[in-house]
Amino acid sequence: ECYSPICSGCNLSEYKVVEMCYYNNEGALKLFRQHGVLPMSVTCPRCNKPCTLYKQKNTLSWRCRGTYKKYTKCKKQRCDFSVSDNKGSFLENSKLKSWQVLMLINSWLRKHFCHSSIADNLDITHTSSVAWRSSCSEVTQFWFNNQKPIGGENIVVEIDEILVAKKMEGGNCKMKIRLFGGIEHESKKCFVVPFVEENDTSVQLQRHNSSTLIQLIKKYIVQNSILYSDKWKAYSLNKEGYIHKTVNCTNNIVHPKDLSVHIQCIKRLLRDTKEWVRGPGFRKQYLKEYISRYLFIRQCRKGEELHNFLIETAKLYKAQSEEETASVPRSEENNFLIDTEMIYKMEIEEKALPVPRYENSNLEEVSDLENSDSQEDSNSDEDLISEGDSDSE
């Protein structure tokens, strides 16, 4: 579902984005505007008139050339309000060009993201690539934290855990972290969380016991749901407001009495998540970032990864801008904000807006993106062979 008032849904494959925006700064800017990452219009907080977008060298800024009265009994003054086009957005303080940022996001939304490849093809440093990866991870974590709990009355949710172990060269296990997850039987809505606690200075492992599991279940699964799990004694859920059914699991083989009661879907989800996060350079402090990135990409239909990511980016920075605006004091003498360069009003009309008018620039018009029907997810819900997690890894 598209929440953007501008882009009603676009289907862009990885190579189509490269074809459209590689070394095309104007095309990348337009794509950002169509998804609300950059503003389509800015209203001056002083005189309440629309600003005009100017280009000076390699920077874009919104400027107001209207007039206003500072006090009631005074002459009108020329308004010199100006604000950067990137202020308060995902591109704020960026030293990269817009097309470079878009290409990096496009590559980060794929499974095999490589810093060295990004640095070579986009002509950026390894440090910049790492910093932008962290910024992208903030967006997917924001998306995950705003997901509603799954399940509900008469809705079946499968739950299970899996062990993620990091081994040293000698074969000894250096670190063990368990992942806990749940997935709805029909809609395939899911969640996966690690057994870790984030403190101010470090990330510590949580105990893998009944109390911790019940806390996670209450947080991520709605009560009165029907839960399917193995017969581990820690799952004492009937007294917690859930309908609990179990499945026999021996030697990684499931032997259900009722064929409709199984946990194959959650086992596959946890196996895929484990394969995704346990790559080179695995660090436990970034485990939640790895998981949220995987779940975000997994829930997107084919070709809609970039579209959904830009929509979530616009939501994140819009929420941050509203929080900052609410915390800024107002002047008693004047009827406008004290720091007009830091706080500005971005208005996007409910209907699609035209491309902003550029003055004193030679920007070429970029053709509109071609909207195409979303492709239905081709993943089938076939039965899977159970493969339990191995604690010996």
Side-chain angles (χ1 to χ4, degrees):
E1 184 178 358
C2 178
Y3 295 93
S4 173
I6 302 175
C7 181
S8 58
C10 55
N11 193 290
L12 299 173
S13 65
E14 179 180 5
Y15 294 107
K16 189 175 181 180
V17 176
V18 174
E19 180 184 2
M20 291 172 48
C21 301
Y22 191 64
Y23 273 98
N24 185 357
N25 209 49
E26 285 74 30
L29 284 172
K30 184 173 183 180
L31 193 62
F32 282 133
R33 295 191 197 284
Q34 287 179 327
H35 292 83
V37 178
L38 292 177
M40 273 292 208
S41 65
V42 174
T43 302
C44 177
R46 285 180 176 176
C47 56
N48 200 29
K49 295 181 180 179
C51 299
T52 306
L53 188 62
Y54 286 84
K55 181 178 180 181
Q56 185 176 7
K57 294 183 179 180
N58 294 325
T59 60
L60 291 172
S61 61
W62 294 90
R63 298 179 184 177
C64 178
R65 291 297 178 261
T67 58
Y68 73 101
K69 286 187 177 182
K70 188 174 183 180
Y71 301 103
T72 305
K73 297 180 180 180
C74 68
K75 295 182 179 180
K76 289 186 177 181
Q77 299 181 7
R78 172 72 67 177
C79 183
D80 58 350
F81 172 77
S82 176
V83 67
S84 171
D85 187 36
N86 297 337
K87 191 68 177 179
S89 71
F90 185 67
L91 303 177
E92 186 176 8
N93 300 325
S94 172
K95 296 182 180 180
L96 302 182
K97 296 181 180 179
S98 298
W99 71 267
Q100 291 176 312
V101 177
L102 186 64
M103 291 298 104
L104 189 145
I105 295 173
N106 188 43
S107 179
W108 185 79
L109 291 172
R110 318 300 161 184
K111 180 177 181 180
H112 302 289
F113 175 78
C114 178
H115 286 295
S116 59
S117 176
I118 289 295
D120 294 339
N121 291 299
L122 300 183
D123 193 22
I124 63 177
T125 63
H126 184 272
T127 304
S128 297
S129 178
V130 173
W132 278 103
R133 181 195 63 180
S134 300
S135 298
C136 293
S137 297
E138 291 180 5
V139 177
T140 52
Q141 288 190 76
F142 169 80
W143 164 83
F144 181 79
N145 293 333
N146 285 275
Q147 294 299 298
K148 295 181 180 179
I150 65 174
E153 189 173 358
N154 298 325
I155 296 179
V156 176
V157 178
E158 302 175 20
I159 56 175
D160 200 11
E161 321 88 38
I162 196 170
L163 178 68
V164 179
K166 182 179 179 181
K167 296 183 179 179
M168 302 177 66
E169 294 182 357
N172 297 325
C173 187
K174 183 179 180 180
M175 178 179 58
K176 292 183 179 180
I177 298 179
R178 283 192 172 270
L179 305 180
F180 173 73
I183 185 171
E184 288 187 7
H185 215 56
E186 299 295 335
S187 67
K188 306 306 178 186
K189 295 179 181 179
C190 61
F191 71 90
V192 178
V193 289
F195 283 85
V196 295
E197 284 183 344
E198 292 186 359
N199 297 328
D200 295 336
T201 58
S202 63
V203 176
Q204 298 180 353
L205 299 180
Q206 279 183 320
R207 290 186 177 182
H208 181 233
N209 54 25
S210 178
S211 61
T212 306
L213 277 170
I214 292 176
Q215 289 178 5
L216 293 175
I217 291 172
K218 288 183 176 180
K219 181 177 180 180
Y220 292 102
I221 304 177
V222 179
Q223 287 191 342
N224 297 324
S225 302
I226 303 174
L227 302 184
Y228 291 174
S229 72
D230 55 29
K231 287 193 172 183
W232 189 33
K233 293 182 180 180
Y235 293 122
S236 55
L237 302 171
N238 289 322
K239 297 181 180 180
E240 303 295 336
Y242 298 95
I243 302 173
H244 187 208
K245 296 183 180 181
T246 59
V247 179
N248 287 327
C249 296
T250 57
N251 298 326
N252 297 330
I253 300 176
V254 179
H255 303 286
K257 296 181 180 179
D258 184 359
L259 295 178
S260 63
V261 180
H262 64 82
I263 53 175
Q264 305 300 326
C265 298
I266 184 59
K267 284 188 173 295
R268 177 179 178 177
L269 172 63
L270 292 176
R271 287 199 307 269
D272 293 344
T273 306
K274 177 180 178 179
E275 179 185 358
W276 180 281
V277 303
R278 214 180 61 167
F282 169 76
R283 298 289 186 274
K284 70 176 182 179
Q285 58 266 34
Y286 303 124
L287 188 56
K288 290 186 176 180
E289 296 183 9
Y290 305 150
I291 295 173
S292 62
R293 174 173 170 243
Y294 168 70
L295 294 179
F296 178 83
I297 297 174
R298 183 184 182 276
Q299 62 88 32
C300 293
R301 292 180 179 177
K302 186 177 180 180
E304 294 185 357
E305 296 88 355
L306 181 62
H307 168 78
N308 292 335
F309 181 86
L310 295 180
I311 294 297
E312 292 299 325
T313 302
K315 287 183 186 179
L316 170 61
Y317 284 85
K318 182 179 178 181
Q320 292 181 352
S321 178
E322 290 176 352
E323 292 178 359
E324 293 177 358
T325 304
S327 62
V328 174
R330 294 181 176 272
S331 172
E332 297 179 357
E333 298 179 355
N334 306 328
N335 195 24
F336 54 88
L337 297 177
I338 294 176
D339 193 350
T340 57
E341 291 186 359
M342 293 189 63
I343 306 299
Y344 64 97
K345 184 178 180 181
M346 294 167 42
E347 291 186 347
I348 300 177
E349 296 181 2
E350 295 181 358
K351 299 181 180 180
L353 298 176
V355 178
R357 178 167 60 90
Y358 295 84
E359 292 192 4
N360 301 334
S361 64
N362 296 321
L363 296 179
E364 298 179 358
E365 294 184 0
V366 184
S367 58
D368 292 337
L369 296 175
E370 296 180 359
N371 293 339
S372 60
D373 295 334
S374 301
Q375 300 179 3
E376 292 295 332
D377 190 4
S378 59
N379 295 331
S380 61
D381 296 334
E382 58 183 359
D383 293 338
L384 305 171
I385 300 177
S386 171
E387 295 179 11
D389 57 323
S390 175
D391 291 355
S392 61
E393 291 184 10

